[in-house]
Amino acid sequence: MKLIAVSIKKLGPFKWLRKIRGFKLVYTPLIAIILFTAVMGIILGTLQLQERSQQESALFRELSFAKQRIQLRFANNTETLISIARESAKNDESEKLKKETFVQVESFLNSNHEIIQVIWLNENKVRQWSLPHSSGKNELLNQLGSAPTITQELNKAVDLSKATNRPAYSQFIFLNHPIDGVNSRERNNVFWQAIPASLAGESAGTLAVLYSAQGLLDVIPAELKSLYRFTLLADNEKVIAISSDKNTPKRALSNQTNLDMGVLSPNLTLRIDTYPPPTNLTFRMLIGVVLGLSAFVIWSLWSVLKQMQVRQKVEADLRSETNFRNAMENSTPVGIRAHDMEKNITYVNRAFCEMTGWRHEELIGLKPPFPFWPQDRLTQITDNWNRALQSNLGLQGKRGIEGIILRKDGAQIQTRTFVAPLIDEKGIQTGWVTSLIDISEPKKIREELAASQDRFVTVLEGLEAAVSVVSIDTGELLFANRFYRERFGDNSKGHFDLAGGEVVHNTMSQIAEDSNDANPGIPPSSLYQESESEEILISEPTRKWYEVRRRFVPWVDGHMAQLLIATDITIRKDADELSRQQEEKMQFTSRLTTMGEMASSLAHELNQPLSAISNYCMGVSKRLKGQIDPDLNNEIQPALEKASAQALRAGTIIQRIRGFVKRSEPQRKSCNIGEIINDAVGLVEIEAHRHRLSIASSIEDNLPDVDLDPVLILQVLVNLLKNGLDSMREAYPLSSRWSAPPVKISANLDTSAFPAMIRIEVTDSGSGIAEAVVERMFEPFFSTKSDGMGMGLNICRSIIESHQGRLWAKNIMDPEHTKLSGCTFTILLPLESLDISGSA
């Protein structure tokens, strides 16, 4: 049926009627089937509408019944609660009467499961008693995080009831249950009802009742809830209670009504949804049989119609094909003739007759040798003809056989002949078909083009530039001059290297085809425009620079090719590179000079503020002595002293940098290298802990003292430790840094060199340093950080070298030697300082 509908849709109603015009045999049963199907559809539709109307009426009745049950329950509850509120107001002081009230409330709660809790509040909204005293409901309420919201809504309902002197309701409260427990499902949404009580015209208290929205649906009989799904909706269609989690199908019916629980009650809507009735299997089977039989009859009629249409279409196609073949044969300039298995001519087209000058009647039935074969080449042509028929050159070769035919007037024509076997519908060969193309004019043009190309090649061979042509179809080198062959050989690899990769011949061929289709015989101007010159570096066999120009041109065989001209510009590039290096050196020198001037100026300007900070800290420390509580003094004094010491230390560092910029010698003194390392770890450890990293130090015992400038060496160690922490931060995410290995700093005595030296190593477990960065990392102004100046490691190496020491870096590989797993910075310091001449 689907196939029939699609076919009718494609044809269109009027075209389809035209197709079956003349087949009167199929009209009567087809119309009968259509009328029968239409009548059955009308009957079934009418029954469906009646059934739906009955379901909607029943749905409205059940919804009205459920609404009355809920409203009646609320009315009864309100009357009972008003009575309890009055009794509670009168019996607030009597314990006996209060117990009777408790018994009445408990009996009320047992018969009304939709009520979770009953609370009595005095005129000051202070809770006097609540029922039930202890249950799973109350315990779960106390565990919820929604207690402030419940209390807030209770206060609002109490205030509203006092202001209006009538029962009032709160808004719906949604409770978030941490886990699914007893009664948790029925108490997802609750609300308060506040009933005021008064004595002698004055407020005596308020009776508050906590309702469960899910409990309201328990008022509806169970047999109704098994047939329908009831849902309570608040404002904005928010579901606050539902009788069943089972989803209703899309074809289910639904209805809803507003629940009016009182003047001050919130907006509440009761919705009812139906479940689908049991399937009427007999009725559906009857419909299926009727529809199946109708479809089968229509399909049978359609099959007969299709067979008749196929026969008519084949006949029309055959006529069209015959007419098309005749038109094509009469319009083509290619001469065509056919031979039977005895080599007799059985067919010739108009072009062949015009090519030879013989009429159709004169050629049909002729046998070799034919009169249009030249007599002086008769033997050669006969041998070529027999060899072509035996080897089926038409199937094995595409170049054909070049030859000469003799016109009836005696003129000779250069031709190319193609031979192919003639196969019938049974796959049996019944003869041959030959096609002849007049190539006299193209051959003359080709000979003139070959002479012109010889002259052009002679000029190209003398050029001092590489000229090459490559086919974009095959990648074959079509032409290369002397300069190209001497440098790149006789293959197309050099051409592709100069072109920057492979030629995308498919795209260029498509452009050429599109352009030729739009303007036959006119080459597209965009295809033959010369590209802008490019500078290409070729490293093999020798390093050479070439200025390359490219363009696409048609080759002599009609296929597209790429022409490339490359001029050697190595000498010019070397001169440019030398000039650039000289300019960079001048820029480095200028920047270093400016950096020195800036460092000297900053050292001079910062000394006075740092001295003032130190003096102020010492002055405040002296003023505080004996003026404040001793315990507080013990906390403040060390901090002020440390601040003053750090200010002095900063001034000392600035003086050292200023002296270093002025190329003065470090201020050496005998120092314990372990103390300097501990000071550096202490300064950097705070930043390490802030980034969840750690530092581990390993100092060999009994290391000898070293003659050095402690401030500058401390500056170097702090810089290296910070670099190690930065590398760890990049390698490890924040969540896994507590388990990351620490940045290690160690010091020991290196006795492998003579004389012995102190070896200090700073090792991290980061991602290592790239080889290109290792080569330049100690250069001034070179940095891999976006906010770095590139002077840190350069200053560190300068400080170490001013102490006659060495500083270098080495990457660490993982155990599998597959990737970098860290880096180690090594410092070697001599135990004794040497003067410039090298004497101790």
Side-chain angles (χ1 to χ4, degrees), residues 147-220:
T149 305
I150 296 175
T151 303
Q152 182 181 2
E153 293 296 332
L154 173 60
N155 293 333
K156 291 181 180 180
V158 170
D159 292 339
L160 183 60
S161 67
K162 287 182 178 182
T164 58
N165 196 23
R166 63 177 60 187
Y169 296 84
S170 70
Q171 296 298 321
F172 293 101
I173 307 168
F174 177 73
L175 303 180
N176 294 318
H177 296 278
I179 57 174
D180 291 336
V182 179
N183 298 325
S184 63
R185 178 175 173 272
E186 68 178 7
R187 296 168 56 252
N188 283 337
N189 291 277
V190 298
F191 63 96
W192 289 100
Q193 182 184 20
I195 301 173
S198 59
L199 290 176
E202 294 183 357
S203 176
T206 305
L207 185 66
V209 182
L210 184 62
Y211 276 93
S212 168
Q214 188 69 32
L216 295 180
L217 297 180
D218 293 339
V219 179
I220 302 173

Side-chain angles (χ1 to χ4, degrees), residues 112-130:
N112 295 273
H113 299 289
E114 69 272 12
I115 298 177
I116 299 175
Q117 192 176 31
V118 178
I119 301 174
W120 172 252
L121 305 174
N122 61 12
E123 61 274 11
N124 297 323
K125 295 192 292 188
V126 177
R127 182 180 300 189
Q128 301 298 312
W129 55 263
S130 64

Side-chain angles (χ1 to χ4, degrees), residues 333-515:
V334 178
I336 301 175
R337 71 175 186 266
H339 303 263
D340 58 15
M341 295 302 294
E342 286 75 26
K343 304 178 184 178
N344 298 323
I345 297 178
T346 58
Y347 168 80
V348 291
N349 67 342
R350 181 185 299 176
F352 186 84
C353 295
E354 294 175 352
M355 188 181 300
T356 58
W358 297 79
R359 290 184 293 106
H360 178 271
E361 295 78 7
E362 295 175 338
L363 295 173
I364 296 298
L366 293 180
K367 294 184 177 180
F370 301 113
F372 46 80
W373 285 355
Q375 295 298 321
D376 56 343
R377 299 187 180 184
L378 192 59
T379 303
Q380 179 184 358
I381 294 177
T382 302
D383 293 341
N384 292 339
W385 169 253
N386 293 331
R387 188 163 53 252
L389 296 182
Q390 294 173 3
S391 60
N392 289 336
L393 288 179
L395 299 177
Q396 300 177 0
K398 300 298 182 182
R399 299 184 62 85
I401 305 172
E402 288 192 9
I404 299 175
I405 63 173
L406 186 66
R407 288 179 56 85
K408 192 174 183 180
D409 57 5
Q412 292 185 351
I413 302 175
Q414 296 284 340
T415 62
R416 186 184 300 275
T417 304
F418 299 89
V419 181
L422 183 61
I423 308 297
D424 62 4
E425 69 279 1
K426 297 180 181 180
I428 300 175
Q429 182 177 354
T430 60
W432 293 269
V433 175
T434 61
S435 302
L436 281 79
I437 301 175
D438 186 355
I439 61 172
S440 301
E441 191 66 24
K443 190 170 184 179
K444 180 180 178 181
I445 295 174
R446 192 177 297 112
E447 291 174 353
E448 294 177 354
L449 182 61
S452 176
Q453 183 181 5
D454 291 340
R455 295 191 295 270
F456 184 67
V457 168
T458 303
V459 175
L460 292 180
E461 289 291 335
L463 290 178
E464 290 298 322
V467 180
S468 58
V469 180
V470 169
S471 171
I472 62 176
D473 290 330
T474 63
E476 178 187 359
L477 182 64
L478 302 177
F479 173 79
N481 69 341
R482 174 190 55 81
F483 192 91
Y484 178 92
R485 293 193 301 273
E486 290 176 354
R487 285 162 175 76
F488 304 104
D490 295 330
N491 54 56
S492 59
K493 181 179 181 303
H495 181 100
F496 290 140
D497 291 341
L498 292 171
E502 295 184 357
V503 180
V504 188
H505 55 80
N506 291 334
T507 302
M508 299 311 301
S509 299
Q510 186 63 39
I511 294 174
E513 291 175 3
D514 295 343
S515 301

Side-chain angles (χ1 to χ4, degrees), residues 29-49:
L30 181 62
I31 293 175
I33 291 298
I34 292 175
L35 291 176
F36 174 76
T37 305
V39 172
M40 291 298 297
I42 294 173
I43 294 174
L44 294 177
T46 304
L47 294 176
Q48 183 70 18
L49 291 176

